Amino acid sequence: MERRKVGILGATGMVGQRFIQLLSNHPWFEIAWLAASDRSAGKTYGDACRWKLDTPLPKHIAAMTMQPNVPEGTVGELPKIIFAALDADIARELEPKFAAVGCAVISNSSAFRMTPDVPLVVPEVNADHLALIEAQASRRENGGKGGYIVTNPNCSAIGLVMALKPLEERFGIESLFVSTMQAVSGAGYPGVPSLDIMGNVVPFIKNEEEKMQEEVGKLLGRLDGRKIEMLDAKVSAHCNRVPVEDGHTECVSIKLRKKATREEILAAWNEFLPLQGQHLPTAPSQPVEYDDGVDRPQPRLDKMRGNGMAATVGRLRECSLLDWKFVVLSHNTIRGAAGAAVLNAEVLALLGKLDKLDVAVTPAVAVMA
Amino acid sequence: MERRKVGILGATGMVGQRFIQLLSNHPWFEIAWLAASDRSAGKTYGDACRWKLDTPLPKHIAAMTMQPNVPEGTVGELPKIIFAALDADIARELEPKFAAVGCAVISNSSAFRMTPDVPLVVPEVNADHLALIEAQASRRENGGKGGYIVTNPNCSAIGLVMALKPLEERFGIESLFVSTMQAVSGAGYPGVPSLDIMGNVVPFIKNEEEKMQEEVGKLLGRLDGRKIEMLDAKVSAHCNRVPVEDGHTECVSIKLRKKATREEILAAWNEFLPLQGQHLPTAPSQPVEYDDGVDRPQPRLDKMRGNGMAATVGRLRECSLLDWKFVVLSHNTIRGAAGAAVLNAEVLALLGKLDKLDVAVTPAVAVMA
Amino acid sequence: MERRKVGILGATGMVGQRFIQLLSNHPWFEIAWLAASDRSAGKTYGDACRWKLDTPLPKHIAAMTMQPNVPEGTVGELPKIIFAALDADIARELEPKFAAVGCAVISNSSAFRMTPDVPLVVPEVNADHLALIEAQASRRENGGKGGYIVTNPNCSAIGLVMALKPLEERFGIESLFVSTMQAVSGAGYPGVPSLDIMGNVVPFIKNEEEKMQEEVGKLLGRLDGRKIEMLDAKVSAHCNRVPVEDGHTECVSIKLRKKATREEILAAWNEFLPLQGQHLPTAPSQPVEYDDGVDRPQPRLDKMRGNGMAATVGRLRECSLLDWKFVVLSHNTIRGAAGAAVLNAEVLALLGKLDKLDVAVTPAVAVMA
Amino acid sequence: MERRKVGILGATGMVGQRFIQLLSNHPWFEIAWLAASDRSAGKTYGDACRWKLDTPLPKHIAAMTMQPNVPEGTVGELPKIIFAALDADIARELEPKFAAVGCAVISNSSAFRMTPDVPLVVPEVNADHLALIEAQASRRENGGKGGYIVTNPNCSAIGLVMALKPLEERFGIESLFVSTMQAVSGAGYPGVPSLDIMGNVVPFIKNEEEKMQEEVGKLLGRLDGRKIEMLDAKVSAHCNRVPVEDGHTECVSIKLRKKATREEILAAWNEFLPLQGQHLPTAPSQPVEYDDGVDRPQPRLDKMRGNGMAATVGRLRECSLLDWKFVVLSHNTIRGAAGAAVLNAEVLALLGKLDKLDVAVTPAVAVMA
């Protein structure tokens, strides 16, 4: 089977590097186009990027020439599938341009997550929301063949909703409290200064509590025709940065609509296998893993479960205020960012939403280098 | 004014070292006796202890000879005031022996905190509970001149109750969540292995959630004759260890019995000056300091406020589930342990409870070394 | 091809866990026997061990029953090949027992490294020294079929000698300085207390400087019949512990016997491929990788090169005192410990030294569990 | 005694903050003027600065208005004494302007350290070099009353030369090797990204090895009329960044011109009291403290000795290549930066070099705020 060509927008940042890592040996996708800021265009990726991962930068990727970060002017063909790892402000400007020329934009940015006709999706949780793309103007106005934008949630929301979804399905969620301890890689590079975080805790991440609260509502919401009816539950988030490299740990207290026993909750997590049998390359075999160790999950030990795509849950115990307490952990730049987007793309492929894209843009004459 | 002689039981551990640091230049107290485990007796303190603080070990303390860790056999006179920094199991055995011979035992251990006739006290919060000592058998049976045990709370509970007390007084507390990020020094030395905590979070501290929940109830409870009526509020705690050396950070959501505005809450904290005018050497001038920085309090920057004795509060904002959210931080081995005990002793001195102690124990003949 | 059965002695410690990790999918070896301390015998490995690696403990290993840590009493058959990850004192007692009954003991301990008839080997550096085993009594007295002990060097010496060997071969080494910054995993578990190392440097590791200095001499020494003639070079080591989880970084200044240009040195490293073509599963394809980044090598980015088996060198520059300066880094528990031993075993297999072992020991009746 | 008014140029950076901390209660100096970048002028210091120290920012300093960072335009009077904590490029432009109008510029920058007529001084080491200021044009051309620039060395060189000076005096230094482990605060704020240094070592600091090597030569050089004759010794430095907040640790091997015993070396350090009896407020009573613990000095435990102004030495032992090995540690932003400059100013005051300065600059009309 021939692999589909894909591009990466924002390829030099922390999430961009994870895209490279996850896609450079992907069985369905092939990296064919890389772009970052204006000043990187024309350089090789190896020169434009300070590679910060502990697996080597593949040589053929290092040698690729960076393209302009707009649809026009690409040397060669613009891929139909664009993974985007841009800051929100830049995403707001650039992503629609790619959708407008016909690309499927698989975005990790917060820019359009709460836009009504943009699906905010974690495939195990709400793959049905992907139908929203048909409501996007770029798609409607092109006879259903136009481009679109699909988003995944904030790194702190993904692990949480994976743990919540099986509980919502079986028991209903009335309210919850979540207190996070988030890794520094979530702030990108250079990101958090070492003097701010070594041996320290910073009990604030800009806009993070707001994002978690509203994204949970949309992710667990119900698709009603062409719009999402938000989950009717109260969510209160406290977000903290801690001196951890990768892996967000979250303490959760939850009140369910229908009482559940410990065994019923464990069963809900254990039997939560919504993508089973689909053979998606990036999907973990057990999306929510419960670890019964007294002191688990921990970022250092558990973040790489399911190749970094599983959420690990532990310490289920009664809450003296709501019903139950537990801890959930997930890898923030794999499951919580690049891996989430790649899995979104795999589901879109499965649904045939990557097949009929009709990208129309005049490439540049190859004079750049 | 002559300084009162005091002893330190468990003098070589992390909290014991803080006792040395806080008491070696204390205007009211003078370190006259040191003890730790059996095997340290007879050694000098300098040889028995691996000093881990960043201020120098005073030379005259280093030269002191360690005594047996029981009342009997002391070379010279046993002080009437014993600060105790022992593990709970050992405290349960040793502290009553010192009380029985007539000493005021100012304990940092958890062993007797929840014992009905033992006061669990933070002077700013519930100094009136100290009256409980008169209910202790060793005291009653000696015409009110006998020894007694006084305790301070767990390091994770102290900062919290300091922030809560002004709110309880003015508005009443109905329920609260607290999620902690606790420093490694709270586990003593050697304590937490570096491989467990470097770049990691451990979402579990043995018995800590239980202690926080019950101690808050007693500390904010009401003295009713010779017993404490526990606070009638639901408290749900999530306790975590993070790679921070000193300073416990806690995220709190709270529901009040009477609605309060932001200004009323800030005023409650700001005007909380219960020890004002008493001139206690260790009491911070402002026990609860509110910092209006967006990202405060932080352990690295705020733990030493009030010489490590203040609780710093920040990020007061509305909670979508309960009423208000905030963050509180305090130094876990000063305010949360040794400093708390020293302040308890200062209040006992002020109340005259250190004056009439009648210690009867036969000292050893000085043949030990 | 059938895999050879192997045992792991000291299987629950940090290096023991790395043995499990490296051997549980090994194409030539199969884990058939596990032992640790007396008190673990009879438990399952899962119960006896606190697994600290970030890859999952394989389920079939977790279910294995721990055996006694002596040759006698094994339930079933004692494997002929024993990987040993014991503290020196225990190794001194136990390893000879296994050699005496006929086992090939592939040891990571320091106990016998400097014993004249025990080979101290890094296969890329001095595989020829393995001939020393024929001088061991247990081997001689059994017609060349008896057991033996083979050792690998200290974790701080391995990366260094890999970088030195190509220089010694081509130019000769007259003297060198090395200053190390060593990871905490080198001290095992629980090992270094977090209060000692978080945000700190400890400029001392017991016996480490002595070990580095003498082991380098033996490793780069010349096999002369049945003994090693030590390298005639002055080596001065400064050893430090730093808050790094895995990966030892070493700053080296070196004086060569024959002057060499930068290009000649780079060529020596680049062309150092002594195991090329042997198809050893654990051997890295490029044992010494030179990285020309200005700030490399770094533990976080480079420790996993060659699956943790390569030494990365960088910053080659002139020294104002000796001739050249450079930095070398290697993974201390893979290349520097368990991986080194596994590679030793692979070379022994290649040389036929694992074939004719004649292990004689009466197994226990299976009543243990 | 009235305190002399001083200004701080670069007052908002890490070293600038240390200047505030050290000078805000100084018995001889009074902070009267603060400046940083152009965009901070007109703001209060509290608004212009992100205070990163763990002692509170004094309220009267927080309220001060930032001035332009040039001599002209100051609201009120420009102080005669300017402490400067600027990046080298900016220092190169701004410091001479202040010297030109008559100020004594006490600089921490590297810009003019190696300029022949600028003294590079550590008072305990080479206070006599301060005579060089009379050779500066701004001073010569104003009848010995003009302004001048005085510098202190790089943070990595200061502790080293303090340990070396007593050895140079008594035995002579022929050559030395030094390998550093430097704290992140040495790179300023935001400085080192947390993703680069958490759990990592970076074996490179730009220009640091060159600075150490040449500054040691000048500091231990001999004043010969109006120029410094550099020390004739070979110095080879390896510089590394480690995850430590404050405190540079350095491993040294040294060859002396005259053989010395261990006792002679310890005596040289112990008896090194060049400023004794001068009553300088910032001078440590024992500039070089030897600690005989096996694992000392350590940044966490020893950096604050002598209020952060002492160098701690430990682990003196024989070197198998040169003569002796030892470890030296000093606080990089106190002894290694701001404290060094303050001590330079104190010595200048003692020498009368702050008395006759004749500063001529037209202040601005006070319309700024």
Side-chain angles (χ1 to χ4, degrees):
Chain A
M1 187 178 98
E2 205 178 343
R3 298 192 295 163
R4 294 167 198 262
K5 291 188 190 320
V6 302
I8 303 171
L9 197 50
T12 56
M14 284 311 294
V15 175
Q17 294 184 26
R18 284 284 180 199
F19 273 127
I20 303 276
Q21 189 187 46
L22 297 174
L23 291 170
S24 59
N25 284 306
H26 196 281
W28 294 4
F29 303 125
E30 179 189 351
I31 301 172
W33 181 95
L34 298 171
S37 66
D38 289 340
R39 68 179 180 287
S40 66
K43 292 182 186 170
T44 63
Y45 183 75
D47 288 341
C49 171
R50 295 193 58 179
W51 187 253
K52 291 286 166 190
L53 301 182
D54 62 1
T55 55
L57 169 58
K59 287 201 165 59
H60 70 284
I61 301 289
M64 286 179 67
T65 300
M66 302 294 292
Q67 305 289 337
N69 60 13
V70 287
E72 297 75 27
T74 279
V75 176
E77 211 171 323
L78 183 69
K80 295 180 180 181
I81 306 164
I82 300 290
F83 291 96
L86 299 168
D87 285 344
D89 287 347
I90 301 169
R92 209 178 309 279
E93 181 199 338
L94 297 184
E95 291 181 356
K97 294 185 181 177
F98 286 86
V101 300
C103 295
V105 178
I106 320 293
S107 167
N108 181 57
S109 158
S110 66
F112 299 106
R113 283 182 195 147
M114 298 306 294
T115 303
D117 63 6
V118 173
L120 174 66
V121 171
V122 173
E124 292 92 336
V125 170
N126 64 334
D128 61 316
H129 290 199
L130 288 169
L132 276 185
I133 61 170
E134 306 302 343
Q136 295 184 20
S138 53
R139 189 98 174 138
R140 273 187 291 114
E141 292 161 9
N142 283 283
K145 296 181 174 177
Y148 54 85
I149 297 173
V150 164
T151 66
N152 57 260
N154 193 307
C155 51
S156 61
I158 289 186
L160 179 63
V161 295
M162 288 175 68
L164 293 180
K165 178 66 178 184
L167 307 185
E168 165 62 12
E169 278 181 351
R170 297 200 179 181
F171 319 113
I173 293 170
E174 191 172 314
S175 60
L176 67 100
F177 165 89
V178 58
S179 183
T180 71
M181 291 168 284
Q182 300 182 224
V184 294
S185 60
Y189 184 86
V192 185
S194 52
L195 279 171
D196 280 348
I197 200 67
M198 279 173 52
N200 202 21
V201 165
V202 179
F204 175 70
I205 302 171
K206 200 173 176 185
N207 298 330
E208 194 83 355
E209 296 174 352
E210 295 78 0
K211 282 186 211 168
M212 277 194 88
Q213 294 176 178
E214 67 187 17
E215 292 180 12
V216 167
K218 185 168 180 180
L219 285 156
L220 298 181
R222 196 168 55 82
L223 177 68
D224 183 10
R226 297 260 156 133
K227 67 180 194 4
I228 304 298
E229 194 175 321
M230 306 294 258
L231 178 74
D232 178 25
K234 287 181 185 169
V235 178
S236 176
H238 298 245
C239 292
N240 302 285
R241 188 77 69 193
V242 292
V244 165
E245 190 182 314
D246 288 309
H248 288 357
T249 311
E250 311 188 352
C251 293
V252 182
S253 275
I254 191 165
K255 188 171 179 58
L256 302 172
R257 296 197 177 275
K258 186 185 141 196
K259 290 303 160 208
T261 65
R262 178 182 167 81
E263 288 65 38
E264 288 170 334
I265 290 174
L266 294 178
W269 283 327
N270 196 42
E271 296 161 10
F272 180 63
L273 301 163
L275 301 178
Q276 202 174 28
Q278 308 285 13
H279 306 295
L280 301 176
T282 302
S285 60
Q286 177 77 35
V288 178
E289 296 191 19
Y290 188 82
D291 187 309
D292 59 10
V294 292
D295 58 0
R296 304 293 279 269
Q298 297 176 19
R300 195 165 85 74
L301 298 177
D302 298 309
K303 65 174 183 270
M304 287 308 296
R305 292 197 189 213
N307 293 319
M309 288 297 288
T312 307
V313 180
R315 294 201 74 214
L316 180 67
R317 61 211 190 279
E318 289 188 27
C319 178
S320 51
L321 181 44
L322 302 182
D323 293 331
W324 292 98
K325 298 198 267 202
F326 59 85
V327 181
V328 61
L329 173 127
S330 60
H331 195 299
N332 56 301
T333 58
I334 300 180
R335 179 75 239 195
V342 171
L343 189 56
N344 275 348
E346 291 171 6
V347 173
L348 288 165
L350 198 74
L351 297 172
K353 301 293 188 188
L354 300 180
D355 291 335
K356 299 180 192 157
L357 294 163
D358 196 5
V359 175
V361 56
T362 317
V365 187
V367 294
M368 254 179 22
Chain B
M1 187 178 98
E2 205 180 342
R3 298 191 295 164
R4 296 167 199 262
K5 292 190 191 316
V6 301
I8 303 171
L9 197 50
T12 55
M14 286 311 293
V15 174
Q17 295 185 25
R18 285 285 180 199
F19 273 126
I20 303 276
Q21 189 186 48
L22 297 173
L23 291 170
S24 59
N25 286 304
H26 196 282
W28 296 3
F29 302 124
E30 179 190 350
I31 300 172
W33 181 95
L34 298 171
S37 65
D38 290 339
R39 70 179 178 284
S40 66
K43 292 184 186 171
T44 64
Y45 183 75
D47 287 341
C49 170
R50 295 193 59 179
W51 187 254
K52 291 287 166 188
L53 301 182
D54 62 1
T55 55
L57 169 58
K59 285 201 167 57
H60 70 285
I61 301 289
M64 286 178 67
T65 301
M66 302 294 292
Q67 304 290 338
N69 61 13
V70 287
E72 298 74 27
T74 280
V75 176
E77 210 171 325
L78 184 70
K80 296 180 178 182
I81 306 163
I82 300 290
F83 291 97
L86 300 167
D87 286 343
D89 287 347
I90 301 169
R92 208 178 310 278
E93 181 199 338
L94 297 184
E95 292 182 356
K97 294 186 181 177
F98 286 86
V101 299
C103 295
V105 179
I106 321 293
S107 166
N108 181 57
S109 159
S110 66
F112 300 105
R113 283 181 196 148
M114 299 307 292
T115 303
D117 63 7
V118 173
L120 173 66
V121 171
V122 173
E124 292 92 336
V125 170
N126 64 335
D128 61 317
H129 290 200
L130 288 169
L132 275 185
I133 61 170
E134 306 302 343
Q136 295 183 20
S138 52
R139 189 99 174 138
R140 273 187 292 112
E141 293 161 8
N142 284 283
K145 295 180 175 178
Y148 54 85
I149 297 174
V150 165
T151 65
N152 57 260
N154 193 306
C155 51
S156 61
I158 289 187
L160 178 64
V161 294
M162 289 175 67
L164 293 180
K165 178 67 177 183
L167 308 185
E168 166 61 12
E169 278 182 350
R170 298 199 179 181
F171 319 113
I173 293 170
E174 191 172 314
S175 60
L176 66 100
F177 280 110
V178 57
S179 182
T180 71
M181 292 168 283
Q182 300 182 223
V184 294
S185 59
Y189 182 86
V192 185
S194 53
L195 279 171
D196 280 347
I197 200 66
M198 280 173 52
N200 201 22
V201 165
V202 179
F204 174 69
I205 302 172
K206 199 172 177 185
N207 298 332
E208 194 83 356
E209 296 174 350
E210 294 78 2
K211 283 186 209 168
M212 278 194 87
Q213 294 177 181
E214 67 186 17
E215 292 181 12
V216 167
K218 184 168 181 181
L219 285 156
L220 298 181
R222 198 168 54 80
L223 178 68
D224 184 10
R226 297 257 153 135
K227 67 181 197 0
I228 304 298
E229 194 174 321
M230 307 294 258
L231 177 75
D232 178 26
K234 286 182 187 169
V235 177
S236 175
H238 299 245
C239 292
N240 303 284
R241 187 78 68 194
V242 293
V244 165
E245 188 182 315
D246 288 310
H248 288 357
T249 310
E250 310 187 354
C251 293
V252 182
S253 274
I254 191 165
K255 187 170 178 59
L256 302 172
R257 295 198 177 274
K258 184 184 141 196
K259 291 302 159 208
T261 64
R262 178 181 168 81
E263 288 65 37
E264 288 169 335
I265 290 174
L266 294 179
W269 283 327
N270 197 42
E271 296 161 9
F272 179 62
L273 301 164
L275 300 177
Q276 201 173 29
Q278 310 283 14
H279 307 294
L280 301 176
T282 302
S285 59
Q286 178 76 37
V288 179
E289 297 191 20
Y290 187 82
D291 188 310
D292 59 8
V294 292
D295 58 0
R296 303 293 279 270
Q298 297 177 19
R300 196 165 83 76
L301 299 176
D302 298 310
K303 65 173 181 270
M304 286 308 296
R305 293 198 189 212
N307 292 318
M309 287 297 288
T312 307
V313 180
R315 296 203 72 215
L316 181 67
R317 60 212 192 279
E318 289 188 26
C319 179
S320 50
L321 179 45
L322 304 182
D323 293 332
W324 292 98
K325 299 197 269 201
F326 59 85
V327 180
V328 60
L329 173 127
S330 60
H331 195 299
N332 56 301
T333 59
I334 301 180
R335 179 75 238 195
V342 172
L343 189 54
N344 275 349
E346 292 171 5
V347 173
L348 288 165
L350 196 74
L351 297 171
K353 301 292 188 188
L354 301 181
D355 292 334
K356 299 182 195 155
L357 294 163
D358 196 6
V359 175
V361 58
T362 317
V365 188
V367 294
M368 252 178 23
Chain C
M1 188 177 97
E2 205 179 341
R3 298 192 295 162
R4 295 167 199 263
K5 291 190 191 315
V6 302
I8 303 172
L9 195 51
T12 56
M14 287 309 294
V15 174
Q17 295 185 26
R18 284 286 179 197
F19 273 126
I20 304 277
Q21 189 187 47
L22 297 174
L23 292 170
S24 60
N25 285 305
H26 196 281
W28 295 4
F29 303 123
E30 180 190 351
I31 300 173
W33 181 94
L34 297 171
S37 66
D38 290 339
R39 69 179 180 285
S40 66
K43 294 184 184 170
T44 63
Y45 183 76
D47 287 342
C49 171
R50 297 193 56 181
W51 187 253
K52 291 285 165 191
L53 301 182
D54 63 0
T55 55
L57 169 57
K59 286 201 167 58
H60 69 285
I61 301 289
M64 285 178 67
T65 300
M66 302 295 291
Q67 304 289 337
N69 60 13
V70 286
E72 297 73 28
T74 280
V75 177
E77 209 171 326
L78 182 70
K80 296 180 181 182
I81 305 164
I82 300 291
F83 291 97
L86 299 168
D87 286 342
D89 286 347
I90 302 170
R92 208 177 310 277
E93 181 199 338
L94 298 184
E95 291 182 357
K97 295 186 181 177
F98 285 86
V101 300
C103 295
V105 178
I106 321 292
S107 167
N108 181 57
S109 159
S110 67
F112 299 105
R113 282 181 197 148
M114 298 307 294
T115 302
D117 62 6
V118 173
L120 173 66
V121 171
V122 173
E124 291 92 336
V125 170
N126 63 335
D128 61 318
H129 290 200
L130 289 169
L132 276 185
I133 60 170
E134 306 303 343
Q136 295 184 20
S138 54
R139 189 99 173 138
R140 271 188 290 116
E141 293 161 9
N142 284 281
K145 295 181 175 179
Y148 55 84
I149 297 174
V150 163
T151 66
N152 57 259
N154 193 305
C155 51
S156 61
I158 290 187
L160 178 64
V161 295
M162 289 175 67
L164 293 180
K165 177 67 176 181
L167 307 186
E168 165 62 12
E169 279 182 348
R170 298 199 179 182
F171 318 114
I173 293 172
E174 189 172 316
S175 60
L176 67 99
F177 280 110
V178 57
S179 183
T180 71
M181 291 168 285
Q182 299 182 224
V184 294
S185 59
Y189 183 86
V192 185
S194 53
L195 278 171
D196 280 345
I197 199 67
M198 280 174 53
N200 201 21
V201 165
V202 179
F204 175 70
I205 301 172
K206 199 174 176 182
N207 298 332
E208 195 82 356
E209 296 175 350
E210 294 78 2
K211 283 186 210 167
M212 279 193 87
Q213 295 176 180
E214 66 186 16
E215 293 181 12
V216 167
K218 185 168 180 180
L219 286 156
L220 297 182
R222 196 168 54 82
L223 178 69
D224 183 10
R226 294 256 156 137
K227 68 181 197 358
I228 304 298
E229 193 175 324
M230 308 293 258
L231 178 74
D232 177 26
K234 287 182 186 168
V235 178
S236 175
H238 299 245
C239 292
N240 302 283
R241 187 78 70 196
V242 293
V244 165
E245 191 182 314
D246 287 311
H248 289 356
T249 310
E250 310 189 354
C251 293
V252 182
S253 275
I254 190 166
K255 187 170 179 59
L256 302 173
R257 295 196 178 273
K258 185 184 141 196
K259 291 302 160 207
T261 66
R262 178 181 169 81
E263 288 64 37
E264 287 169 336
I265 290 174
L266 295 179
W269 283 328
N270 197 43
E271 296 161 9
F272 180 62
L273 301 163
L275 301 178
Q276 202 174 27
Q278 310 283 14
H279 306 293
L280 302 175
T282 301
S285 60
Q286 177 76 37
V288 178
E289 296 192 19
Y290 188 83
D291 188 309
D292 60 8
V294 292
D295 58 359
R296 302 295 276 270
Q298 297 177 20
R300 196 166 83 74
L301 299 176
D302 298 309
K303 66 173 181 269
M304 287 308 295
R305 292 197 189 211
N307 292 319
M309 287 297 288
T312 306
V313 180
R315 293 202 74 216
L316 180 66
R317 60 210 191 280
E318 289 187 25
C319 179
S320 51
L321 179 44
L322 303 182
D323 293 331
W324 291 98
K325 299 197 268 199
F326 59 85
V327 181
V328 60
L329 173 128
S330 60
H331 195 300
N332 56 301
T333 59
I334 300 179
R335 179 75 240 196
V342 172
L343 189 55
N344 276 347
E346 292 171 5
V347 172
L348 288 166
L350 197 73
L351 296 172
K353 302 291 188 188
L354 301 180
D355 292 334
K356 300 181 195 154
L357 295 162
D358 196 6
V359 175
V361 57
T362 318
V365 188
V367 294
M368 254 177 26
Chain D
M1 186 178 97
E2 205 179 341
R3 297 192 295 163
R4 296 166 197 263
K5 290 188 191 317
V6 303
I8 303 172
L9 196 50
T12 56
M14 287 310 295
V15 174
Q17 294 184 27
R18 284 284 180 198
F19 273 127
I20 303 276
Q21 189 187 47
L22 296 174
L23 292 170
S24 59
N25 285 307
H26 196 281
W28 296 3
F29 302 123
E30 180 189 353
I31 300 172
W33 182 94
L34 297 171
S37 66
D38 289 341
R39 68 179 181 285
S40 66
K43 293 184 186 170
T44 63
Y45 183 76
D47 287 343
C49 171
R50 297 193 59 179
W51 186 255
K52 291 285 165 190
L53 301 183
D54 62 1
T55 55
L57 170 58
K59 286 203 165 58
H60 69 285
I61 301 290
M64 285 178 66
T65 301
M66 301 296 290
Q67 304 290 337
N69 60 13
V70 287
E72 298 74 29
T74 280
V75 176
E77 211 171 323
L78 183 69
K80 294 180 180 181
I81 305 164
I82 300 291
F83 291 96
L86 299 168
D87 285 344
D89 287 347
I90 302 170
R92 208 178 308 278
E93 181 197 339
L94 297 184
E95 291 182 356
K97 293 186 181 176
F98 285 86
V101 300
C103 294
V105 178
I106 321 293
S107 166
N108 181 57
S109 159
S110 66
F112 299 107
R113 282 181 197 150
M114 297 307 293
T115 303
D117 63 6
V118 173
L120 173 66
V121 172
V122 173
E124 291 92 337
V125 170
N126 63 336
D128 61 317
H129 290 200
L130 288 169
L132 275 185
I133 60 171
E134 306 303 343
Q136 294 184 22
S138 54
R139 189 97 172 141
R140 273 187 290 115
E141 293 161 8
N142 283 281
K145 295 180 174 179
Y148 55 85
I149 297 173
V150 164
T151 65
N152 57 258
N154 194 306
C155 50
S156 61
I158 289 186
L160 178 63
V161 295
M162 289 175 68
L164 293 181
K165 178 67 177 182
L167 307 186
E168 165 62 12
E169 278 182 351
R170 298 199 179 182
F171 319 112
I173 293 171
E174 190 172 315
S175 60
L176 67 100
F177 167 89
V178 57
S179 183
T180 71
M181 292 168 284
Q182 300 182 223
V184 294
S185 59
Y189 183 85
V192 185
S194 53
L195 279 171
D196 280 346
I197 200 66
M198 280 173 52
N200 201 20
V201 165
V202 179
F204 175 70
I205 302 172
K206 199 175 177 183
N207 298 330
E208 195 82 355
E209 296 174 351
E210 293 79 0
K211 283 186 209 168
M212 278 193 87
Q213 295 177 180
E214 67 187 16
E215 293 181 11
V216 167
K218 185 168 180 179
L219 286 156
L220 297 182
R222 196 168 55 82
L223 178 68
D224 183 11
R226 296 258 155 135
K227 68 182 197 355
I228 304 297
E229 194 174 322
M230 308 293 257
L231 177 74
D232 178 27
K234 286 182 187 169
V235 178
S236 176
H238 298 245
C239 291
N240 302 284
R241 188 76 71 194
V242 293
V244 165
E245 192 182 313
D246 288 311
H248 289 356
T249 310
E250 311 189 354
C251 293
V252 182
S253 275
I254 191 165
K255 187 171 178 59
L256 302 173
R257 295 196 177 275
K258 185 184 141 196
K259 291 303 159 206
T261 64
R262 180 181 166 82
E263 288 65 37
E264 288 169 335
I265 290 174
L266 294 179
W269 283 327
N270 197 42
E271 295 162 10
F272 181 63
L273 301 164
L275 301 177
Q276 200 175 28
Q278 310 284 14
H279 306 294
L280 302 176
T282 301
S285 60
Q286 178 76 35
V288 178
E289 297 191 20
Y290 188 83
D291 188 310
D292 60 9
V294 292
D295 58 0
R296 303 294 276 270
Q298 297 177 19
R300 197 165 84 74
L301 299 176
D302 298 309
K303 66 173 182 268
M304 286 309 295
R305 292 197 187 210
N307 292 318
M309 287 297 287
T312 306
V313 180
R315 294 202 74 215
L316 180 66
R317 60 210 191 281
E318 289 187 26
C319 179
S320 50
L321 180 45
L322 303 183
D323 293 332
W324 292 98
K325 299 198 268 198
F326 60 85
V327 180
V328 60
L329 173 126
S330 59
H331 194 300
N332 57 301
T333 60
I334 300 180
R335 178 76 240 195
V342 172
L343 189 56
N344 276 347
E346 291 171 6
V347 173
L348 288 165
L350 197 74
L351 297 172
K353 302 292 190 189
L354 300 180
D355 291 333
K356 299 182 194 154
L357 295 162
D358 196 7
V359 175
V361 57
T362 318
V365 188
V367 294
M368 257 179 20

